[in-house]
Amino acid sequence: MPDVLDATPYDALLLLSFGGPEGPDDVVPFLENVTRGRGIPKERLKEVGQHYFLFGGISPINDQNRALLDALRKDFADHGLDLPVYWGNRNWAPYLTDTLREMVADGRRRILVLATSAYASYSGCRQYRENLADSLAALEAEGLEVPKVDKLRHYFNHPGFLEPMIDGVLASLADLPADVRAGAHLAFSTHSIPTAAADSSGPAEGHGDGGAYVEEHLDVARLIADAVRERTGIDHPWQLVYQSRSGAPQIPWLEPDICDHLEERHSAGVPAVVMAPIGFVSDHMEVLYDLDTEATAKAEELGLTVRRSATVGADPRFAAAVRELVLERAAVESGREVTPCALGALGAGHNVCPVGCCPARAPRPAAAGADSPYA
């Protein structure tokens, strides 16, 4: 039998994700949840929803979260970590508030949160913390005991997150025709965000010129490219590129777009490109549509050979990384010595988001940070 691992003071882990529709009738209501408060007409939402309708109105993200839940529970059980794992979403069932209500009813009072976003940014971190604060306020209004909630640190540079992506790039390179393999370039892709949001990502002292969002992605891209060179003996040129831009065209967003990058690489005589979606935990809609559908169609139009490498998903190494992060944070909270596990130039990030980290345009309460109203 495995040794019993101690996650004290925590009594539960909450997997917190974005959510997605699970049928055609869910698409517009889901998009209404995502865009609530922006005044977007329903007809426009139906147009936006065409990406989902191409896949039967079903986002893959919920099934991918179910698979991750299974992987986490199995890893915890196999290693003697007695910590129940729950799941709540920002924008679709199971909704975050409902899950927190269930956790309180089950007697959970000290909750650790794993968000399905590995990097610093408003939409990838603080917005989840705002959602947590909204849900905790709802519980408080109902007269329920409000649990203490903490959030796991960003895990973009944890080996258990990096190794599956390295293997994915190696597998994609091996799948290329032999005559173009050595000359292939690597396009490390992530979600584009407004440049103003990128510049203000991470702690306030690091704001400016892409902020933590760009810096963290560049560090991951460099780590993967270095590992690929070490394991193949070939130095594949690489670039960080962006996808899934939305919003008003006059607002600057991070560039280059993946499709523009493929055109530029083709014009430069590059024979093949491996698209590596390092900004995404799993193969959800942005990966399936923006890379597998739109970018792949652009490559076919150009006559450029491309492959798309795998995301981390429910890889057992990622589940093990989450276990290590849970135990690391538990040790910190218990006042025990711990050496955080992180690769690359940036090291392990903060456990508690400081004041001014990834600020919103309009300030709102955010839980699980130094400015939390629920300390």
Side-chain angles (χ1 to χ4, degrees), residues 65-321:
N65 281 325
R66 293 181 182 104
L68 180 55
L69 283 170
D70 288 344
L72 292 171
R73 289 165 178 159
K74 182 180 187 306
D75 179 271
F76 288 7
D78 288 349
H79 291 85
L81 177 57
D82 183 16
L83 190 71
V85 186
Y86 295 75
W87 170 35
N89 289 325
R90 284 168 47 179
N91 299 300
W92 202 249
Y95 288 104
L96 172 59
T97 303
D98 294 337
T99 299
L100 283 173
R101 192 180 292 116
E102 175 190 357
M103 296 177 81
V104 169
D106 288 347
R108 313 304 176 195
R109 296 295 180 267
R110 193 75 191 271
I111 297 168
L112 197 50
V113 175
L114 166 67
T116 54
S117 176
Y119 301 87
S121 70
Y122 170 73
S123 57
C125 185
R126 186 175 178 89
Q127 193 170 13
Y128 282 103
R129 294 176 48 225
E130 291 175 352
N131 297 143
L132 282 165
D134 291 342
S135 293
L136 293 174
L139 299 187
E140 188 175 43
E142 294 170 11
L144 299 175
E145 186 171 349
V146 177
K148 178 170 172 50
V149 176
D150 292 326
K151 180 177 175 291
L152 286 173
R153 66 175 173 87
H154 300 138
Y155 46 84
F156 63 92
N157 56 4
H158 194 288
F161 187 67
L162 286 164
E163 284 294 336
M165 292 191 292
I166 293 167
D167 285 351
V169 172
L170 290 169
S172 292
L173 285 167
D175 190 51
L176 287 169
D179 61 333
V180 299
R181 188 178 303 143
H185 285 213
L186 309 179
F188 294 108
S189 183
T190 190
H191 208 301
S192 185
I193 61 175
T195 56
D199 292 346
S200 62
S201 60
E205 62 270 17
H207 288 178
D209 199 20
Y213 187 75
V214 172
E215 183 181 42
E216 290 169 0
H217 280 89
L218 285 172
D219 203 40
V220 167
R222 194 173 296 112
L223 284 164
I224 296 173
D226 287 349
V228 168
R229 183 184 64 253
E230 290 167 6
R231 298 180 197 187
T232 65
I234 300 172
D235 191 6
H236 293 275
W238 62 270
Q239 186 168 341
L240 179 63
V241 300
Y242 302 93
Q243 60 176 89
S244 313
R245 182 203 159 112
S246 60
Q250 69 271 19
I251 297 175
W253 283 53
L254 293 173
E255 296 178 338
D257 176 77
I258 178 63
C259 290
D260 295 339
H261 177 70
L262 293 178
E263 286 190 346
E264 190 275 330
R265 293 292 81 197
H266 175 67
S267 297
V270 172
V273 173
V274 169
M275 302 181 292
I278 62 172
F280 307 90
V281 171
S282 63
D283 289 4
H284 51 70
M285 187 55 68
E286 280 87 348
V287 176
L288 292 187
Y289 183 81
D290 296 315
L291 294 184
D292 292 355
T293 304
E294 191 173 52
T296 299
K298 170 58 70 175
E300 289 175 356
E301 172 192 318
L302 295 169
L304 176 65
T305 301
V306 295
R307 296 291 186 270
R308 196 269 289 175
S309 67
T311 51
V312 173
D315 189 289
R317 289 168 292 184
F318 182 44

